[in-house]
Amino acid sequence: MNKKVFLFFLAMLSVLGIWAQGIDTQLSRHNFFYAGQSKQRRMFIVKDGQVSWAYDDQLKKGEISDAVLMSDDNILVAHQYGIAEVNQASQTVWHYDAPEGTEIHTIQPIGRSHVVFVQNGKPAKAVVMEIPSCRIVREFELPVNDKSSVHGQFRNARLTQRGTLLIANMSLGCIHEYNSNGQEVDRWTGFLPWSVQELPKGNLLITGRKGLIQEINRQGHVMWQMNTTEFGVTQPQKTVRLKNGNHIVNNWYNEWNKTPMDTLNAPVQAVEVDKDGKVVWQLRAWKNPDLGPSTTIQLLDEAVKRERLFFGEFNAQKPKLFVGPNEPIGKGKGIHPGRVAWVHAPGVATWDGHTGLWVEDRWNDQAKADALIREGVMQLTGETSPKKAWQALFKHFNKEHKRGNRGYKKGEMIAVKLNMNNAITHHDTIELNSSPFTTLALVRSLVHDGGVREQDIVLCEPSRAITDSIYNKVYREFPHVRMIDNIGGSGREKCEYYPEQIVYSVDNGKMAHGLATCIADADYLINSALLKTHSGPGVTLTSKNWYGATDINLLWRQNAHNNISQDKRSGKPNYKTFVDWMAHKDMGQKTLLFLIDGTYGSRDVNGAPNPKWMKEPFNGDWACSLIASQDEVACDAVGMDIIINEWPEFQSLNYCDEYLREAASIPNAPSGTTYMQQGKALNEPLGLFEHWNKEHRYTKIELKYKKL
């Protein structure tokens, strides 16, 4: 057998082996954009198995380390010695040369007017640049290992859905997250990162230099990992997660190796691996077409929409709202109608975001939590002591409910509706629920300042579980306080319900109609909600907290959520369930005090508190706040404005103010709904609604801010 026949025979065996394994090798499997870090600065678009566009930079200087195909068909490219934007006519729209002694290996668009890139150097910097003028508008230094070369500092950075910048630091072996002011929001250590990206639900996908692909959560815990060396991928740089859960991982080949490539055994340029760890596609296009070494593979249907990317105030996103700033609606409630107290106590919450659970004593200051509650009721009532404040609250409530000008009486029950939405067992969880420290502070103040007997206090979460951290902390000091939750046991009472207690103003389908007996039987209610967003209605504050007082199932997927979420696209006015809960005689109308616990707060309805709050007055800390009011509408309005100010990009915030506009507009609700209470049409607003302006000021809501 001559040499040519032998080599052909080996090649056929290789092909047959691939077929036997069921591995697709067709170029047509995906439509993709491709760029490579090589001696030639080339980029390609492959569509239907053919190269439909190719770019070859004739300068022959540098290497393409990063390239981003955008939905307008233009491409941003970082090529070591500069960055540029090119169109598919192969014309340069603008370019910027890296300063002497520096290198640029990664770039991201910020809308149409700016880009952000990392500039390797001494010092290394993150840079925001206006385009096409190439005017530097902001820069801040990045930490590096002083012993590392400029070339080996950084390769990849990506913007997140919250408008921060993730940076893979090769020289320090870590991932940074920065805000636009250059403040490090978070850091994850112990990796060898080439690239990093944020996944849709907030986890990070890290491609490591030694073939390790890892998904971590924001506490730094590895949720999933894959070693690509098993598939012949020894130099991965970027990973694409497909919608079906598969991964495409590129494999870079170093053309500067002294040993020439073995063309008969050419390395793969990329592989697709399914969820079971099986290779289902291999890309080997070294001839007809020759795509060259791989740095970037980007699916064409995932072209970046530059208008949606923002970095802090650069291309800042704003939700669509029904009501503009300083356009008050409705009528205020309370001793001081429409007053909302916001008490800010930095240091009350100090969890590092990674270690242990946020509910541990080491991360929380009970004395400051006590001060939050006491100062909150004093600011709300205008009284000079917590004792006088509670007396004023009880007297006002009883007067409004035609019980006379009196305070609390022995034997009257006060039920505190907690928010334990992320607890279905009694075990403590890392997820955000009512704070045990704020809850204890509330009980302490009710007993010691308000003169309430502990046996007259009920802490309840009818739809979920009261966790051990709350139970143990309260029980140790106040063993006669009752605790009622959905599952009972271990010192908790199991919740019971009165059926058909909620009559909705419209036919609300299968929505819950039963009401917890501990809520219905109480003489006074305190609604203790949380400061966080929600993927449905946009925010989950005091009004959303009432859902947990109904006879819903512990498993949330088995419950109806009718008329809770707004029309986020067109903003069409509609009936809102929340308004009926706010108007119910045994829910919103029987509430002595509305509280929003913002000691931690969170951008996500589920999961651990995350991230820390960057805007004024928080400046990179947890929110460390408590919001208090007698006006549920005004209370939620302030909580909503704080959330919108911090995370305006959160997509579910569009038209999130609909339920407040409905409640404040009664009897002329924009949806045309006639809201009812006990069969009678409501004839006045349920409270005062207003959004603050750019200076965080209201015209009718009276916001009393106090920093401790």
Side-chain angles (χ1 to χ4, degrees):
M1 184 181 295
N2 63 37
K3 185 176 181 180
K4 289 185 178 180
V5 174
F6 178 71
L7 292 176
F8 175 77
F9 178 71
L10 287 179
M12 288 302 296
L13 285 177
S14 175
V15 170
L16 289 171
I18 291 172
W19 285 348
Q21 297 172 43
I23 299 175
D24 188 353
T25 60
Q26 299 299 309
L27 200 61
S28 59
R29 181 177 178 89
H30 298 288
N31 295 327
F32 59 91
F33 166 67
Y34 183 100
Q37 182 174 312
S38 65
K39 293 180 180 179
Q40 301 179 75
R41 284 164 43 182
R42 299 186 297 166
M43 299 183 289
F44 304 91
I45 290 178
V46 177
K47 191 172 184 179
D48 300 325
Q50 303 292 324
V51 173
S52 63
W53 177 82
Y55 173 87
D56 189 355
D57 190 333
Q58 298 301 315
L59 293 177
K60 308 298 182 186
K61 183 182 179 183
E63 56 195 34
I64 295 179
S65 301
D66 196 12
V68 180
L69 172 67
M70 297 176 291
S71 57
D72 60 5
D73 292 334
N74 283 10
I75 294 166
L76 290 177
V77 57
H79 55 83
Q80 184 176 6
Y81 296 117
I83 51 177
E85 181 173 345
V86 299
N87 60 30
Q88 291 191 26
S90 296
Q91 299 169 325
T92 299
V93 179
W94 58 264
H95 77 276
Y96 172 79
D97 293 330
E100 186 71 26
T102 71
E103 297 181 7
I104 304 173
H105 293 278
T106 187
I107 187 170
Q108 287 275 270
I110 309 174
R112 292 188 171 275
S113 59
H114 294 84
V115 295
V116 60
F117 58 88
V118 174
Q119 185 171 287
N120 294 15
K122 296 185 178 180
K125 299 177 181 179
V127 181
V128 178
M129 188 176 77
E130 182 183 75
I131 56 171
S133 67
C134 295
R135 180 175 67 93
I136 304 299
V137 295
R138 183 164 302 168
E139 60 183 25
F140 52 86
E141 292 188 10
L142 302 174
V144 295
N145 185 336
D146 292 336
K147 297 180 180 179
S148 66
S149 67
V150 168
H151 186 69
Q153 291 173 345
F154 303 95
R155 279 297 180 281
N156 178 265
R158 287 293 182 264
L159 288 167
T160 71
Q161 58 189 342
R162 64 191 63 181
T164 55
L165 186 65
L166 293 172
I167 301 175
N169 190 328
M170 297 194 304
S171 72
L172 290 179
C174 65
I175 305 293
H176 306 276
E177 183 176 13
Y178 282 93
N179 67 15
S180 62
N181 294 321
Q183 186 173 18
E184 187 177 49
V185 179
D186 217 330
R187 180 185 295 199
W188 299 269
T189 59
F191 302 96
L192 294 171
W194 189 279
S195 65
V196 62
Q197 60 188 288
E198 185 184 44
L199 296 172
K201 293 187 177 181
N203 286 356
L204 310 184
L205 188 62
I206 301 170
T207 303
R209 284 181 288 154
K210 291 190 176 182
L212 194 61
I213 314 297
Q214 295 174 299
E215 177 184 345
I216 66 170
N217 63 17
R218 286 189 166 268
Q219 286 69 56
H221 302 139
V222 176
M223 312 301 290
W224 168 88
Q225 66 181 28
M226 173 176 65
N227 192 328
T228 63
T229 59
E230 301 173 9
F231 316 122
V233 177
T234 57
Q235 297 278 359
Q237 295 186 354
K238 293 188 178 73
T239 303
V240 177
R241 175 169 289 181
L242 305 181
K243 293 178 181 178
N244 63 3
N246 290 6
H247 294 82
I248 296 177
V249 186
N250 81 309
N251 185 37
W252 175 64
Y253 170 74
N254 187 354
E255 285 189 341
W256 289 269
N257 281 337
K258 294 181 180 179
T259 304
M261 179 193 292
D262 180 359
T263 56
L264 293 176
N265 190 29
V268 294
Q269 292 150 309
V271 297
E272 179 183 346
V273 184
D274 68 15
K275 291 182 289 186
D276 297 322
K278 178 184 176 182
V279 175
V280 295
W281 180 60
Q282 288 181 339
L283 175 63
R284 276 193 176 94
W286 296 101
K287 187 176 183 180
N288 298 324
D290 177 10
L291 300 182
S294 172
T295 297
T296 292
I297 291 181
Q298 181 184 346
L299 300 186
L300 296 189
D301 62 3
E302 293 185 359
V304 171
K305 297 179 180 178
R306 63 196 306 171
E307 296 86 355
R308 293 186 178 180
L309 292 188
F310 67 103
F311 189 30
E313 70 272 32
F314 298 103
N315 197 39
Q317 305 296 295
K318 294 182 179 179
K320 299 175 182 177
L321 300 172
F322 278 113
V323 180
N326 297 150
E327 296 178 0
I329 302 172
K331 181 180 179 182
K333 306 291 183 182
I335 298 169
H336 304 280
R339 176 179 288 190
V340 180
W342 174 8
V343 187
H344 182 206
V348 67
T350 62
W351 185 46
D352 65 2
H354 299 280
T355 310
L357 302 180
W358 66 270
V359 297
E360 297 174 34
D361 287 352
R362 57 177 166 163
W363 304 121
N364 300 271
D365 189 322
Q366 185 63 61
K368 289 189 175 182
D370 293 344
L372 276 177
I373 294 292
R374 287 172 169 157
E375 190 63 41
V377 294
M378 286 192 293
Q379 290 292 324
L380 180 59
T381 59
E383 299 292 344
T384 56
S385 72
K387 182 177 180 179
K388 291 180 179 179
W390 281 114
Q391 184 72 2
L393 287 171
F394 281 115
K395 280 189 173 183
H396 181 268
F397 180 91
N398 286 320
K399 183 178 179 180
E400 289 292 304
H401 287 76
K402 297 180 172 51
R403 297 178 183 174
N405 186 26
R406 66 170 181 85
Y408 150 84
K409 286 183 178 180
K410 177 180 175 181
E412 290 182 324
M413 186 173 79
I414 301 171
V416 180
K417 169 61 177 71
L418 302 175
N419 186 332
M420 306 299 295
N421 189 57
N422 289 320
I424 59 174
T425 73
H426 292 149
H427 299 298
D428 287 326
T429 173
I430 200 171
E431 296 188 280
L432 183 62
N433 294 297
S434 290
S435 165
F437 305 90
T438 305
T439 304
L440 176 60
L442 177 59
V443 175
R444 281 179 172 177
S445 192
L446 279 170
V447 174
H448 300 315
D449 303 320
V452 178
R453 296 192 313 166
E454 58 181 278
Q455 55 264 49
D456 290 339
I457 299 173
V458 175
L459 301 180
C460 66
E461 180 48 291
S463 67
R464 295 292 186 268
I466 295 178
T467 51
D468 290 334
S469 56
I470 290 180
Y471 177 83
N472 293 333
K473 193 168 287 293
V474 173
Y475 181 78
R476 277 194 296 266
E477 288 190 35
F478 304 100
H480 299 297
V481 168
R482 297 169 61 200
M483 297 189 217
I484 300 174
D485 67 10
N486 187 268
I487 57 179
S490 301
R492 291 82 158 173
E493 301 174 38
K494 183 175 174 59
C495 188
E496 297 180 352
Y497 305 88
Y498 291 127
E500 303 302 324
Q501 293 296 298
I502 304 172
V503 178
Y504 294 100
S505 299
V506 301
D507 182 358
N508 211 12
K510 296 181 179 180
M511 202 68 182
H513 288 257
L515 186 63
T517 57
C518 55
I519 296 290
D521 292 343
D523 296 285
Y524 311 90
L525 298 177
I526 294 177
N527 184 326
S528 183
L530 291 172
L531 186 66
K532 61 179 180 178
T533 65
H534 197 290
S535 56
V539 295
T540 177
L541 302 169
T542 67
S543 302
K544 174 68 170 65
N545 196 32
W546 290 126
Y547 191 31
T550 65
D551 59 346
I552 57 176
N553 195 288
L554 182 68
L555 304 176
W556 69 272
R557 291 186 183 276
Q558 297 185 20
N559 299 305
H561 297 82
N562 301 341
N563 297 301
I564 287 179
S565 297
Q566 63 280 10
D567 180 350
K568 300 179 182 67
R569 293 187 177 182
S570 62
K572 181 181 178 181
N574 198 5
Y575 158 76
K576 283 289 157 285
T577 297
F578 289 175
V579 181
D580 272 331
W581 294 337
M582 298 165 77
H584 197 282
K585 70 179 183 66
D586 287 323
M587 298 170 85
Q589 297 307 299
K590 197 166 68 177
T591 302
L592 174 77
L593 179 64
F594 297 96
L595 299 175
I596 300 176
D597 177 0
T599 46
Y600 282 93
S602 186
R603 184 183 181 274
D604 303 305
V605 63
N606 299 316
N610 180 71
K612 290 186 176 180
W613 300 61
M614 293 294 112
K615 307 289 179 61
E616 290 282 351
F618 311 118
N619 300 318
D621 196 2
W622 297 111
C624 296
S625 295
L626 180 79
I627 300 166
S629 186
Q630 294 171 279
D631 186 324
E632 184 168 16
V633 176
C635 188
D636 276 19
V638 172
M640 182 180 290
D641 282 346
I642 293 171
I643 289 172
I644 291 173
N645 183 65
E646 185 68 24
W647 299 301
E649 77 285 353
F650 189 72
Q651 292 185 358
S652 286
L653 290 175
N654 281 340
Y655 303 111
C656 65
D657 58 353
E658 180 177 16
Y659 76 95
L660 294 179
R661 183 176 72 154
E662 287 278 292
S665 299
I666 293 172
N668 300 306
S671 68
T673 304
T674 299
Y675 288 97
M676 312 287 286
Q677 184 190 69
Q678 293 179 279
K680 295 182 179 180
L682 295 172
N683 58 16
E684 66 175 29
L686 296 178
L688 176 63
F689 177 46
E690 183 181 7
H691 285 302
W692 64 21
N693 61 21
K694 292 181 179 180
E695 289 73 39
H696 300 172
R697 297 184 184 278
Y698 296 98
T699 58
K700 289 291 183 68
I701 289 179
E702 184 186 3
L703 181 61
K704 302 286 286 186
Y705 173 79
K706 177 70 176 290
K707 184 176 181 179
L708 300 180

